[in-house]
Amino acid sequence: MSAPENLPGIDNGLLRFLTCGSVDDGKSTLIGRLLFDTKTILADTLSAIERSSQRRGLTAVDLSLLTDGLQAEREQGITIDVAYRYFSTGTRKYIIADAPGHEQYTRNMVTAASTANLAIILVDARKGVQTQTRRHSYLAHLVGIPHLVVAVNKMDLVDYDQASFERIRADYLAFAAQLGIPDVRFIPMSALNGDMVVERGARLAWYTGPTLLEILESAPAAHTERPENFRFPVQYVCRPQESANPALHDFRGFMGRVESGEIAVGDAVTVLPSGRTSTVREIRVGDASLPCAIHEQSVTLLLTDEIDVSRGDMIVKTSEQPQATKQVEATLCWLSETPLSTARTYLLRHTTREVKAKVAAIEYRLDVNTLAHGPAAALEMNDIARVALKLAQPVFADRYAENRATGAFILIDESTNNTVGAGMIR
Amino acid sequence: MSTLTRQTLSHLDWLEAEAIHILREVAGQCANPVLLFSGGKDSICLLRLAEKAFRPGRFPFPLMHIDTGHNYPEVVAFRDQRAAELGERLIVRSLEDSIARGTIVLKSPLESRNKHQSVTLLEAIEEFGFDACIGGARRDEEKARAKERIMSFRDEFGQWDPKNQRPELWNLFNARTHKGENIRAFPISNWTELDVWQYIERENLELPSIYFAHTRPVVRKNGLLQPVTELTPARPGDVVEEVRVRFRTVGDISCTAPVESDADSVAKILLETATTTITERGATRMDDQTSEASMEQRKKEGYF
């Protein structure tokens, strides 16, 4: 952020994206390059990296050192946990979720992918499509990231050879078709030299497509590509009865975030699970009133009727109701060192609602490298499986493929309160 | 019929909405939360976000300041004034009390008290039985923070275990604790320093005066400007200069340095922030320069 033009003027909102690749694909170098060329890395950070690079006996500044946050990571020279990085171009703000590439970190990749709308998958131009490329692509697709960018990196090491790039593209497309991944774009690049990241460079003249940053700048924001139903899980109910202000005596505000869709004053709504109907009387943020609210906006809804509503309820448009269900088919990623037990009861968090749940059946476990299905009696950390769950009370769910907010849930182990599973409803 | 909304929130609106959502999750999930308010710019933003989240109701948590006794008087006065304007309860717990109790032992009377705040914070958490502390930390501040969860679990000794954090997926935050444990919740995790200043400008938020350019005696040391105060007097041989400065962060006097600046308005600070070449902590924190891992170490010991 060292140019005045980086002060956001035209605000193209915010894009969250994921970078995935393995240790040697140059992922950290790519992130370093993005931050460096958008002038986000500041002088003292750079000098700290210079010192570390020298200490490790490196001759050039290693931009990848930017992304190693924890002591253990620096000691082992690997990335253990998801790191979040930020940069802004002046028109858009970006949140990068940087996920480690190793197989044992599937859970981190799923975590990082859960909030991303675009994924950059790094491929080493010398090595082409690898097992881990497939794994990363599959996971990104599974977690519902709509846009994939395959960055064929290290083009400098194959003499910027177009045929190498085309070969990798053909290989990848064949495999993407198997998975049903619809939108993939390919860029040849050298993150090390900065070609096709922010600047075009002079060595890839045969490539006429957009740079990586141009793709990021024009990528559609979440929630803008297809129609969505209005979903408003209630987080908190505001009843300031003790107030001296008589106007507030009957104030009942239902506070939450519009997870999807939009709502306007006058819309007919239904409250779940009670099924009571009413009309939106007012939409507020703090003391201000709004005529309508859109996806991702945190607001307070006031209804025309006095209805009992509490945290865990969901307000929806009467014309767009989700399924109330106590039986859920889901893809489950197991996140805990303690294996999943079908004998145990877990707490399932879906939006703001918590219900007791049991995994009634593990239908199959998926091998994320071969995509083969196999039987499983329990699930270990990083396993992904198709499961059937039984719930003690209903949740108001959409299919994950249609709505990432109301199709997702987590499982919590009440003995430790740890988050142990991440599920996507089929 | 569902409809297609192509409209999206501006980046500040998005960050605001996310922070409000997080504050409401803390209120909805935790029995006895507290918001840590220091009078600094990040926690000033938190208060505005709490107003947007909970008004016309009262905040579902008190405010608390861990007072090192080494704060600039302008900031302490601002803290009290802001809490009074909001009509919310302010708890102040002081390092002096921990020192008197013998739970903080200083190596020297003028030592930086910054890292000792953890002791008083943990004592206050125990005294009031808080199960969540809302703080204004941001992931762009420091690299250990970049890996911390928005709802960050601390065990009964207040420790952060960076290698064993709860996975945090979608916006399904897990703030559950057993008795004695607590959550540190960071609603503005995804904000940068520039975002904070843009929000201050947009919301027209009042700040303590030392954030704006003023003239102050300083000594140049190790590339930082060290303010000359009663706590940090000039030593023999020091060259004391009157310099036009502002603070980018307002922490403990003994470890917070101002930067040279003529920016006397939020608009001018914004321009400087957008064109700066040194990170916020790098320019201003004497305590983070000791080692690459000093923030991580402090957090493991219960720091904010």
Side-chain angles (χ1 to χ4, degrees):
Chain A
M1 255 178 281
S2 89
E5 63 268 24
N6 282 356
L7 267 182
I10 307 159
D11 203 320
N12 190 18
L14 182 145
L15 184 75
R16 302 191 74 158
F17 69 92
L18 163 75
T19 52
C20 39
S22 74
V23 191
D24 303 318
D25 290 336
K27 176 168 59 79
S28 299
T29 309
L30 172 66
I31 293 173
R33 175 58 63 187
L34 267 174
L35 301 183
F36 190 70
D37 284 0
T38 55
K39 303 181 174 62
T40 308
I41 299 181
L42 300 178
D44 59 328
T45 310
L46 199 61
S47 68
I49 298 169
E50 271 166 6
R51 282 199 302 275
S52 301
S53 302
Q54 282 164 8
R55 213 166 37 236
R56 294 186 195 184
L58 304 172
T59 47
V61 174
D62 183 357
L63 287 175
S64 68
L65 293 175
L66 269 178
T67 52
D68 292 332
L70 302 173
Q71 216 165 13
E73 294 176 325
R74 286 192 295 276
E75 283 158 10
Q76 298 171 44
I78 54 163
T79 314
I80 296 169
D81 207 338
V82 183
Y84 295 92
R85 306 282 155 189
Y86 306 87
F87 70 97
S88 163
T89 54
T91 49
R92 203 169 214 187
K93 177 182 164 102
Y94 294 92
I95 302 179
I96 310 175
D98 178 20
H102 319 277
E103 187 161 12
Q104 62 266 39
Y105 297 136
T106 292
R107 68 173 199 154
N108 287 342
M109 162 112 193
V110 169
T111 300
S114 69
T115 51
N117 210 48
L118 179 147
I120 300 172
I121 293 164
L122 273 124
V123 176
D124 185 328
R126 296 168 304 174
K127 297 181 188 159
V129 175
Q130 304 278 301
T131 302
Q132 71 205 4
T133 316
R134 296 196 188 91
R135 184 170 74 239
H136 293 151
S137 305
Y138 175 72
L139 289 174
H141 177 61
L142 180 83
V143 186
I145 298 180
H147 304 282
L148 299 191
V149 178
V150 177
V152 181
N153 192 26
K154 304 199 178 182
M155 288 299 291
D156 49 311
L157 298 181
V158 296
D159 293 328
Y160 296 95
D161 173 37
Q162 183 172 7
S164 305
F165 172 73
E166 297 296 347
R167 203 161 44 240
I168 291 168
R169 169 153 67 181
D171 281 357
Y172 190 96
L173 282 173
F175 136 81
Q178 280 178 346
L179 286 184
I181 296 175
D183 179 31
V184 195
R185 304 176 80 166
F186 298 85
I187 312 181
M189 68 169 59
S190 165
L192 187 70
N193 297 325
D195 301 310
M196 291 300 161
V197 181
V198 174
E199 310 294 337
R200 295 195 71 83
R203 289 160 287 219
L204 286 164
W206 50 263
Y207 171 77
T208 54
T211 61
L212 179 62
L213 189 65
E214 284 166 351
I215 289 181
L216 296 176
E217 289 280 89
S218 60
H223 303 278
T224 59
E225 295 181 82
R226 51 180 189 198
E228 290 183 333
N229 292 321
F230 172 70
R231 300 288 183 254
F232 190 81
V234 176
Q235 290 184 270
Y236 197 77
V237 178
C238 176
R239 296 206 62 187
Q241 292 154 305
E242 82 282 9
S243 171
N245 180 352
L248 291 181
H249 267 302
D250 299 322
F251 188 96
R252 252 174 215 249
F254 305 121
M255 299 175 152
R257 187 182 199 188
V258 180
E259 291 293 351
S260 60
E262 58 186 348
I263 191 77
V265 171
D267 283 347
V269 293
T270 298
V271 180
L272 300 172
S274 72
R276 296 281 304 271
T277 56
S278 187
T279 306
V280 176
R281 177 160 62 88
E282 199 183 344
I283 302 172
R284 298 172 61 127
V285 179
D287 294 325
S289 281
L290 308 174
C292 60
I294 62 168
H295 51 81
E296 299 187 316
Q297 215 167 355
S298 286
V299 294
T300 301
L301 297 184
L302 283 75
L303 305 182
T304 48
D305 304 275
E306 272 204 17
I307 302 182
D308 188 27
V309 180
S310 48
R311 176 176 168 86
D313 291 358
M314 190 185 285
I315 300 176
V316 301
K317 283 188 186 168
T318 304
S319 56
E320 316 173 338
Q321 298 200 30
Q323 187 103 38
T325 178
K326 288 167 72 172
Q327 302 213 333
V328 170
E329 288 277 317
T331 305
L332 183 69
C333 179
W334 197 249
L335 310 169
S336 168
E337 280 168 8
T338 311
L340 165 82
S341 161
T342 50
R344 285 191 59 186
T345 299
Y346 296 94
L347 196 63
L348 181 145
R349 260 286 299 279
H350 173 264
T351 67
T352 57
R353 195 170 175 78
E354 288 185 346
V355 300
K356 303 267 188 199
K358 282 186 95 157
V359 175
I362 302 173
E363 283 156 25
Y364 58 80
R365 180 171 54 199
L366 188 109
D367 182 321
V368 288
N369 293 323
T370 64
L371 306 186
H373 298 175
L379 296 180
E380 308 283 335
M381 183 156 81
N382 295 312
D383 277 351
I384 290 180
R386 175 72 70 84
V387 300
L389 295 124
K390 277 198 307 205
L391 315 183
Q393 282 86 35
V395 292
F396 315 106
D398 295 292
R399 292 183 60 232
Y400 186 79
E402 279 150 26
N403 194 320
R404 287 173 80 180
T406 51
F409 62 85
I410 54 173
L411 293 180
I412 295 167
D413 179 337
E414 281 184 284
S415 69
T416 58
N417 282 326
N418 272 335
T419 303
V420 293
M424 291 153 281
I425 296 168
R426 302 291 302 186
Chain B
M1 261 303 288
S2 57
T3 45
L4 174 56
T5 307
R6 291 195 186 277
Q7 197 191 341
T8 54
L9 300 179
S10 75
H11 87 280
L12 272 189
D13 284 335
W14 190 92
L15 291 170
E16 179 186 73
E18 182 192 46
I20 293 171
H21 177 254
I22 294 162
L23 285 168
R24 288 170 172 172
E25 278 306 286
V26 175
Q29 291 189 42
C30 302
N32 188 17
V34 65
L35 187 148
L36 300 173
F37 177 56
S38 64
K41 67 181 189 312
D42 299 313
S43 57
I44 288 169
C45 287
L46 284 184
L47 291 185
R48 170 52 53 92
L49 292 163
E51 287 183 88
K52 295 210 184 193
F54 300 111
R55 293 290 188 240
R58 295 176 62 82
F59 294 174
F61 37 71
L63 317 179
M64 181 164 78
H65 183 220
I66 301 301
D67 190 343
T68 61
H70 286 181
N71 293 292
Y72 287 99
E74 297 92 328
V75 179
V76 172
F78 181 90
R79 173 198 77 190
D80 295 343
Q81 173 209 327
R82 191 76 196 97
E85 284 165 2
L86 286 166
E88 301 289 346
R89 176 178 168 219
L90 173 69
I91 298 165
V92 177
R93 282 296 174 268
S94 170
L95 265 67
E96 294 293 349
D97 294 333
S98 303
I99 293 167
R101 269 194 295 274
T103 48
I104 292 177
V105 181
L106 296 175
K107 287 198 208 90
S108 73
L110 291 184
E111 176 190 4
S112 166
R113 295 182 171 189
N114 194 46
K115 68 170 183 174
H116 295 298
Q117 290 179 90
S118 310
V119 174
T120 310
L121 174 64
L122 295 178
E123 286 172 354
I125 288 171
E126 195 175 348
E127 177 189 350
F128 292 97
F130 292 130
D131 57 356
C133 301
I134 302 162
R138 310 189 316 265
R139 284 173 175 158
D140 85 321
E141 280 180 86
E142 209 282 334
K143 53 190 165 186
R145 296 244 200 246
K147 306 228 163 172
E148 187 163 18
R149 303 293 182 255
I150 286 173
M151 301 275 186
S152 184
F153 175 78
R154 304 298 169 98
D155 67 15
E156 47 191 330
F157 298 97
Q159 299 178 106
W160 180 52
D161 181 357
K163 280 188 270 188
N164 193 20
Q165 301 191 73
R166 287 179 185 171
E168 198 161 71
L169 297 105
W170 297 289
N171 51 10
L172 296 174
F173 298 107
N174 174 1
R176 297 176 69 89
T177 52
H178 291 302
K179 196 169 161 41
E181 302 163 344
N182 69 86
I183 291 289
R184 306 292 170 84
F186 301 114
I188 60 169
S189 286
N190 285 326
W191 299 38
T192 62
E193 189 189 10
L194 187 60
D195 296 325
V196 167
W197 281 110
Q198 288 182 311
Y199 195 68
I200 288 167
E201 182 182 53
R202 188 185 85 172
E203 297 292 317
N204 206 9
L205 300 182
E206 204 186 320
L207 295 176
S209 57
I210 65 172
Y211 274 112
F212 300 99
H214 57 284
T215 303
R216 171 183 292 276
V218 297
V219 173
R220 293 181 195 271
K221 267 187 192 161
N222 304 326
L224 295 174
L225 300 179
Q226 187 172 306
V228 177
T229 65
E230 271 178 40
L231 279 170
T232 52
R235 300 205 182 126
D238 280 352
V239 181
V240 179
E241 299 171 58
E242 293 284 325
V243 180
R244 191 102 168 120
V245 298
R246 67 178 171 88
F247 285 87
R248 281 172 77 181
T249 166
V250 295
D252 193 77
I253 290 178
S254 64
C255 71
T256 314
V259 294
E260 259 184 290
S261 172
D262 261 328
D264 54 7
S265 68
V266 173
K268 288 181 189 168
I269 291 172
L270 259 172
L271 198 63
E272 272 193 8
T273 305
T275 56
T276 188
T277 56
I278 299 186
T279 61
E280 183 176 338
R281 295 197 84 90
T284 60
R285 300 305 287 237
M286 302 166 198
D287 52 337
D288 281 345
Q289 296 195 338
T290 21
S291 90
E292 263 191 287
S294 46
M295 170 69 87
E296 182 178 345
Q297 198 51 45
R298 285 204 303 276
K299 289 180 87 73
K300 284 178 182 167
E301 290 161 8
Y303 195 70
F304 303 115

